[in-house]
């Protein structure tokens, strides 16, 4: 009888532990599926947001490009050039925009992380003085002639650091936001070619330090941040005063603020992206065709030259 009771207890214990592990496994699988769903939806929403931004950037570039080179085609109100640029961004440039939306921001994040962990990579190599031996071949110190001294810009850093900096330069030289502007101006170019040509143009002009100045974009980002915070406070007031529930979560105050902030930040970022895209297009067009700008818009060209000479006199067009 005792032996039978032991068998019964063993069976019950096995069933208990098996049911416990099945419950834990099922709960973990549900949790992992839910987390995967949240992550997937977040990435999809973020990529869709970037896609809308890039569509606007290409449309603005095409419109300003038409005004820059052919001002007679642009009418003051409801111009056909805007519709043409928008249709072009959704048809012939659609693949390039989708491709760039996937890789530009990850490439920028990777390059910034490399600079953060290796800040010395962002500095110019220190010139090293090398002495060249005179032709007579005398071993004495007096045989070194001053006319044979060469100051060479030799990079003395390890090979791994130079390779890492080269990788960062190639990555940002191909995947950059200037490619979208170049695509809007030249529809036939692919995204990879557009990024290379845009950066090559700035390098020829020696404007790499100018295009790296992100003052305007930082101001626009702060404006979006303030608008998003204000929209979050408005959502908080609606939740608290009106009693309207945005979600069924246990913390309605936090979710109301987050939802309002997200909506305000997203909408303001999309609309203010028109300003940033206009600045990028004007800078790229001014680097590529300053004479056409002076010919078609004489007064604006003179104002641009005066302002440019005050800020960047060493890089005057």
């Amino acid at each position: 009888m005792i032996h039978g009771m032991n068998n019964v207890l063993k069976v019950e214990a096995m069933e208990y532990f098996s049911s416990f592990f099945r419950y834990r496994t099922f709960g973990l699988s549900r949790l992992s599926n839910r987390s995967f769903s949240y992550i997937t939806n977040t990435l999809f929403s973020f990529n869709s947001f970037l896609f809308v931004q890039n569509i606007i950037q290409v449309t603005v570039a095409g419109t300003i490009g038409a005004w820059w080179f052919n001002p007679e085609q642009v009418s003051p109100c409801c111009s056909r050039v805007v519709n043409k640029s928008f249709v072009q961004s959704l048809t012939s440039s659609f693949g390039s925009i989708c491709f760039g939306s996937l890789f530009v921001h990850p490439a920028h994040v990777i390059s910034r992380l490399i600079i953060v962990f290796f800040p010395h990579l962002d500095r110019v190599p220190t010139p090293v003085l090398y002495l060249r031996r005179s032709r007579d071949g005398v071993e004495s110190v007096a045989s070194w002639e001053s006319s044979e001294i060469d100051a060479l810009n030799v990079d003395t850093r390890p090979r791994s650091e130079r390779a890492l900096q080269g990788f960062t330069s190639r990555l940002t030289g191909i995947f950059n936001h200037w490619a979208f502007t170049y695509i809007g101006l030249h529809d036939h170019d692919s995204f990879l070619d557009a990024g290379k040509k845009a950066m090559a143009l700035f390098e020829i002009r020696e404007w790499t330090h100018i295009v790296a100045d992100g003052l305007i974009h930082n101001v626009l980002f702060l404006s979006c941040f303030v608008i998003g915070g204000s929209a979050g406070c408005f959502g908080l007031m609606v939740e608290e005063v009106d009693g309207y529930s945005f979600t069924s979560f246990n913390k309605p105050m936090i979710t109301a603020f987050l939802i309002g902030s997200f909506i305000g930040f997203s909408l303001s970022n999309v609309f203010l992206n028109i300003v940033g895209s206009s600045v990028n297009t004007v800078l790229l067009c001014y680097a590529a065709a300053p004479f056409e700008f002076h010919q078609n818009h004489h007064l604006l060209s003179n104002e641009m030259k005066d302002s440019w000479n005050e800020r960047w006199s060493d890089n005057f067009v």
Side-chain angles (χ1 to χ4, degrees):
M1 182 176 179
I2 296 175
H3 182 69
M5 291 179 63
N6 290 333
N7 292 332
V8 171
L9 291 175
K10 289 181 181 179
V11 172
E12 290 181 354
M14 292 176 61
E15 290 181 355
Y16 171 78
F17 284 111
S18 62
S19 61
F20 174 77
F21 284 118
R22 282 199 302 268
Y23 173 77
R24 296 289 296 177
T25 305
F26 181 72
L28 291 175
S29 63
R30 289 186 60 186
L31 182 60
S32 61
N33 291 334
R34 184 179 300 177
S35 302
F36 179 76
S37 178
Y38 287 157
I39 294 174
T40 304
N41 292 332
T42 302
L43 293 177
F44 180 78
S45 301
F46 181 70
N47 189 66
S48 301
F49 173 71
L50 295 179
F51 176 75
V52 172
Q53 278 191 325
N54 297 329
I55 287 288
I56 295 175
Q57 186 170 352
V58 173
T59 304
V60 170
T63 304
I64 296 180
W67 172 83
W68 191 280
F69 296 100
N70 301 304
E72 65 278 356
Q73 297 180 1
V74 182
S75 58
C77 182
C78 299
S79 176
R80 294 182 178 179
V81 177
V82 179
N83 298 330
K84 181 181 178 181
S85 300
F86 181 69
V87 172
Q88 173 184 317
S89 63
L90 293 179
T91 53
S92 57
S93 303
F94 187 80
S96 298
I97 296 174
C98 292
F99 180 78
S101 301
L102 290 174
F103 293 101
V104 168
H105 278 76
H108 179 72
V109 171
I110 291 173
S111 63
R112 296 312 303 172
L113 287 177
I114 292 176
I115 296 300
V116 168
F117 288 105
F118 304 95
H120 53 279
L121 295 180
D122 203 20
R123 302 171 186 169
V124 180
T126 304
V128 180
L129 186 65
Y130 277 82
L131 300 179
R132 185 180 298 170
R133 188 179 298 277
S134 60
R135 295 182 179 179
D136 54 7
V138 181
E139 296 296 335
S140 62
V141 179
S143 63
W144 296 102
E145 298 178 358
S146 60
S147 61
E148 298 294 333
I149 297 177
D150 297 330
L152 304 177
N153 289 331
V154 179
D155 196 350
T156 59
R157 295 174 301 174
R159 183 177 299 178
S160 59
E161 294 184 3
R162 285 180 289 171
L164 189 60
Q165 186 179 24
F167 169 75
T168 306
S169 301
R170 288 192 298 269
L171 189 65
T172 56
I174 297 176
F175 299 102
N176 54 79
H177 64 277
W178 298 102
F180 297 106
T181 304
Y182 202 93
I183 289 173
L185 297 173
H186 307 278
D187 180 45
H188 58 278
D189 288 332
S190 64
F191 181 84
L192 299 179
D193 294 336
K196 293 178 182 178
K197 292 179 180 179
M199 296 307 298
L201 177 61
F202 291 135
E203 290 176 359
I204 292 174
R205 288 284 189 181
E206 296 181 354
W207 287 7
T208 53
H209 64 287
I210 296 176
V211 299
D213 187 3
L215 176 62
I216 296 178
H217 296 280
N218 293 334
V219 170
L220 295 177
F221 178 78
L222 289 177
S223 302
C224 297
F225 189 79
V226 171
I227 294 173
S230 302
C233 294
F234 179 75
L236 192 62
M237 292 173 57
V238 172
E239 176 76 29
E240 184 68 19
V241 176
D242 192 33
Y244 180 80
S245 298
F246 289 91
T247 60
S248 59
F249 290 155
N250 295 326
K251 298 180 180 180
M253 305 289 290
I254 298 177
T255 55
F257 179 80
L258 293 178
I259 291 174
S261 300
F262 177 76
I263 294 175
F265 180 83
S266 301
L267 293 179
S268 60
N269 202 343
V270 168
F271 285 107
L272 290 180
N273 186 44
I274 299 176
V275 180
S277 302
S278 302
V279 173
N280 293 341
T281 306
V282 169
L283 188 58
L284 187 59
C285 289
Y286 198 58
F291 300 105
E292 287 80 355
F293 182 54
H294 183 76
Q295 181 179 0
N296 298 325
H297 309 278
H298 183 71
L299 297 178
L300 294 176
S301 178
N302 292 332
E303 294 180 4
M304 186 76 169
K305 288 180 181 179
D306 295 337
S307 302
W308 192 277
N309 194 21
E310 292 178 0
R311 181 63 180 86
W312 294 293
S313 58
D314 298 334
N315 301 95
F316 192 68
V317 179

